[in-house]
Amino acid sequence: MAHDLHVMRLAVKAYLSDVKAKIHALRDMEERTEAVRESMEGVRSPAIEAIRASKSDKMTNGLIMLQTLEEQHKTASVEFESVVNQAYNICFSGGLERQVVWLHEVDRKSWDAVGRELGYSKSTVRRMSETGYSEVYYSMPEEYRRSAFPNASAGLSNV
């Protein structure tokens, strides 16, 4: 059963919103890890071992925090990067129509800005987006279609 463009657009927006959240979460984790790493800068390996031996609470807590952040970042990176790369490939493996959707939804560019970037008018990229939303919808993972509209595939026999 085919969905109308409005339903497809909403599902794609939800999907790409999740992708965008994962991109921001990865950046935030990188920034937090880097901030802790920078605060620990200047402390070399022998000094770290000496501090560990003396059980300095501040340094120990810093080392534990850094290790925890690095582990969280590594774990999230594997999961998040997979989702982000899949979405990127969906949007950039097809025609310009899909790219228009990525630029508007993930990069948060206005239709005017998307048009200027691609060399088209605002109205042209809006029309292109209709095809783009549809193509992304049918290419995106099934679970995202179902999570946006849990019973979108339910039959009408119960109505």
Side-chain angles (χ1 to χ4, degrees), residues 33-67:
T33 302
E34 189 57 34
V36 171
R37 191 176 287 123
E38 285 176 7
S39 72
M40 307 281 295
E41 196 172 286
V43 179
R44 302 288 178 240
S45 231
I48 290 174
E49 293 306 317
I51 291 170
R52 280 186 182 152
S54 71
K55 302 206 186 287
S56 168
D57 287 341
K58 261 186 158 178
M59 183 52 108
T60 302
N61 290 342
L63 289 171
I64 291 169
M65 184 186 311
L66 180 59
Q67 184 178 7

